[in-house]
């Protein structure tokens, strides 16, 4: 390594975006097309089952070996910056071969701004810079109105009771993630019409007060040249990234709930997925994901649901020293009836 390179700050890209927007798929694509860059990753998840970290570790890319991937599952990264995030990033900088670029995947409920603020701390700023905040948007979900309050319902509510708190926690997290972005990836554009793409792009440009590029894609297929190397130095530019939580000492994630449920051996995958779709619909579950043990199959089944949209695939063989324990994590707005979800899961 040359002297000038050793003095250079290591660039860090923060990938944020709401639950199920497609962050992990996008990062996997970057890892597989790193073009010789040595990458390291910090993966943060809201739920108790480490699905995203596991998917990324199992991709076996030479430029990003398992030692370069750190999972932070202890809640949202924005709340544990000092305790978890800073030590993790120091560990990556101390690797025998220093990474050329570090990617941080936040949980779907994390607020990116507190994380960017951490890069303004003198010991961190001396070594690292935020190359860019990339916000992945589930275009199809936005087009379907998931993040916007229904204006008519709101009006009816107001007529009934003036005192109702109209804050929509989904909308707030979604907007906070957009407001911090240097680049917006409009994912799942293949599920949208031309008009929907135009209107969602418009909506994003209205929300973000700065000019920000919006790139359409599907399956997270974005060239690493577009994502990495933005040289935004976001830590120097906090003032132009407003947040709904700017005037709070602390924020919390009490608007959301998550729990993991063990799932016994599944014999009929299609019937089981159909049941999950019903549960997602009935209980308004935002995200269901995890691994299943399917009768007679040597591989585990990866299941990912966003709202009522589900996909599944066998992702890798169960290893010899691992129990075939199926488990799914459920993430929803506060107040989901866990016992009722369990009953629905086991009903035949
Ligand atoms: Zn937080």
């Amino acid at each position: 390594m040359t002297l000038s390179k050793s003095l250079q700050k290591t660039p860090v890209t923060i990938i944020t975006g709401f639950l199920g927007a497609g962050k992990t798929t996008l990062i996997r694509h970057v890892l597989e097309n790193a073009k010789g860059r040595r990458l390291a990753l910090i993966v943060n998840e809201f739920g108790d089952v480490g699905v995203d970290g596991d998917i990324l570790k199992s991709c076996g890319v030479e430029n990003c070996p398992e030692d370069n991937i750190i999972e932070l599952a202890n809640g949202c990264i924005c709340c544990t910056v000092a305790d978890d995030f800073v030590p993790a990033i120091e560990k990556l900088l101390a690797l025998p071969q220093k990474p050329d670029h570090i990617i941080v995947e936040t949980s779907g409920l994390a607020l990116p701004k507190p994380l960017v603020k951490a890069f303004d701390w003198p010991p961190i700023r001396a070594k690292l810079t935020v190359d860019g905040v990339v916000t992945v948007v589930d275009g199809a979900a936005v087009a379907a109105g998931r993040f916007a309050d229904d204006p008519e319902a709101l009006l009816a509510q107001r007529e009934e009771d003036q005192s109702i708190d109209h804050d929509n926690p989904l909308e707030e997290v979604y907007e906070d993630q957009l407001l911090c972005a240097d680049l917006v990836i409009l994912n799942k554009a293949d599920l949208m019409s031309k008009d929907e793409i135009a209107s969602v792009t418009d909506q994003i440009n209205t929300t973000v007060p700065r000019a920000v590029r919006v790139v359409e894609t599907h399956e997270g297929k974005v060239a690493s040249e577009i994502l990495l190397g933005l040289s935004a130095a976001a830590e120097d530019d906090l003032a132009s990234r407003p947040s709904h939580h700017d005037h709070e000492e602390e924020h919390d994630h009490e608007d959301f709930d998550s729990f993991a449920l063990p799932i016994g051996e599944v014999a009929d995958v299609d019937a089981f997925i159909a049941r999950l779709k019903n549960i997602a619909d009935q209980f308004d579950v935002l995200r269901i994901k995890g691994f299943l043990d399917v009768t007679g199959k040597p591989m585990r089944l990866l299941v990912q649901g966003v709202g009522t949209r589900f996909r599944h695939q066998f992702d890798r063989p169960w290893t010899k020293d691992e129990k075939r324990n199926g488990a799914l994590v459920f993430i929803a707005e506060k107040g989901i009836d866990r016992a009722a979800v369990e009953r629905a899961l086991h009903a035949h």
Side-chain angles (χ1 to χ4, degrees):
M1 191 188 292
T2 62
L3 183 64
S4 69
K5 191 169 181 195
S6 70
L7 290 174
Q8 265 171 22
K9 293 184 181 186
T10 304
V12 179
T13 294
I14 296 172
I15 312 269
T16 186
F18 201 75
L19 300 165
K23 299 181 291 295
T24 307
T25 311
L26 176 103
I27 292 171
R28 187 167 179 153
H29 187 74
V30 172
L31 294 187
E32 285 164 353
N33 298 280
K35 312 227 165 85
R37 269 201 193 89
R38 178 160 288 268
L39 299 174
L41 273 179
I42 294 176
V43 185
N44 170 229
E45 271 179 275
F46 185 72
D48 320 327
V49 183
V51 180
D52 298 352
D54 213 285
I55 292 171
L56 293 167
K57 276 184 179 169
S58 69
C59 69
V61 171
E62 202 184 315
N63 285 320
C64 187
E66 261 191 50
D67 284 349
N68 288 27
I69 303 177
I70 297 181
E71 282 176 89
L72 299 180
N74 191 19
C76 280
I77 203 167
C78 44
C79 299
T80 56
V81 165
D83 294 335
D84 291 341
F85 176 68
V86 172
I89 209 137
E90 279 170 347
K91 202 170 152 194
L92 293 178
L93 287 176
L95 283 167
Q97 275 185 289
K98 200 171 113 182
D100 298 323
H101 202 116
I102 297 173
I103 297 174
V104 180
E105 177 186 352
T106 77
S107 96
L109 297 175
L111 309 174
K113 192 171 179 181
L115 191 60
V116 176
K117 271 189 184 161
F119 288 86
D120 198 24
W121 297 353
I124 299 290
R125 293 189 64 92
K127 295 178 205 155
L128 299 147
T129 179
V130 180
D131 180 60
V133 178
V134 176
T135 302
V136 187
V137 168
D138 180 340
V142 177
R146 182 191 283 172
F147 300 102
D149 278 314
D150 175 357
E152 276 177 48
L154 200 64
L155 205 65
Q157 242 180 351
R158 267 207 192 106
E159 275 167 15
E160 236 167 70
D161 181 359
Q162 292 287 339
S163 67
I164 286 177
D165 182 3
H166 297 292
D167 276 356
N168 174 343
L170 263 64
E171 194 172 17
E172 213 173 270
V173 174
Y174 167 71
E175 283 190 4
D176 251 51
Q177 293 171 342
L178 275 182
L179 288 167
C180 205
D182 293 294
L183 173 70
V184 176
I185 303 297
L186 187 59
N187 201 18
K188 308 187 190 184
D190 55 320
L191 304 177
M192 303 167 78
S193 70
K194 274 207 167 122
D195 285 351
E196 284 173 333
I197 291 176
S199 104
V200 172
T201 304
D202 218 45
Q203 202 183 313
I204 291 168
N205 286 326
T206 314
T207 305
V208 187
R210 296 160 287 125
V212 59
R213 216 173 135 205
V214 180
V215 175
E216 294 155 36
T217 186
H218 62 100
E219 303 286 339
K221 285 186 182 128
V222 182
S224 56
E225 292 87 344
I226 292 178
L227 286 182
L228 311 182
L230 297 174
S231 303
E235 69 276 15
D236 292 337
D237 183 34
L238 283 158
S240 68
R241 295 160 199 261
S243 154
H244 286 290
H245 300 270
D246 274 339
H247 305 294
E248 297 168 9
E249 288 285 313
E250 281 179 355
H251 65 270
D252 56 51
H253 301 272
E254 277 174 10
D255 296 326
F256 299 94
D257 251 343
S258 92
F259 52 86
L261 297 177
I263 309 289
E265 193 179 310
V266 173
D268 184 340
V269 172
D270 289 341
F272 188 79
I273 299 285
R275 205 179 308 156
L276 289 180
K277 279 186 189 172
N278 281 333
I279 289 171
D281 186 36
Q282 190 186 343
F283 298 93
D284 229 346
V285 186
L286 297 164
R287 188 88 169 110
I288 298 176
K289 61 181 174 175
F291 302 103
L292 296 179
D293 168 20
V294 181
T295 309
K297 297 289 180 188
M299 295 179 85
R300 64 179 192 179
L301 189 75
L302 166 65
V303 175
Q304 306 221 60
V306 185
T308 55
R309 246 188 293 137
F310 276 79
R311 56 200 300 183
H312 58 276
Q313 74 194 79
F314 288 103
D315 87 314
R316 70 156 171 80
W318 294 97
T319 61
K320 274 197 194 99
D321 47 358
E322 131 186 272
K323 288 206 176 111
R324 295 176 57 123
N325 289 336
L328 291 173
V329 60
F330 294 75
I331 304 175
E333 282 192 77
K334 192 88 188 166
I336 184 170
D337 185 344
R338 175 182 174 155
V341 170
E342 280 184 80
R343 280 196 299 277
L345 205 53
H346 297 119
H348 286 274

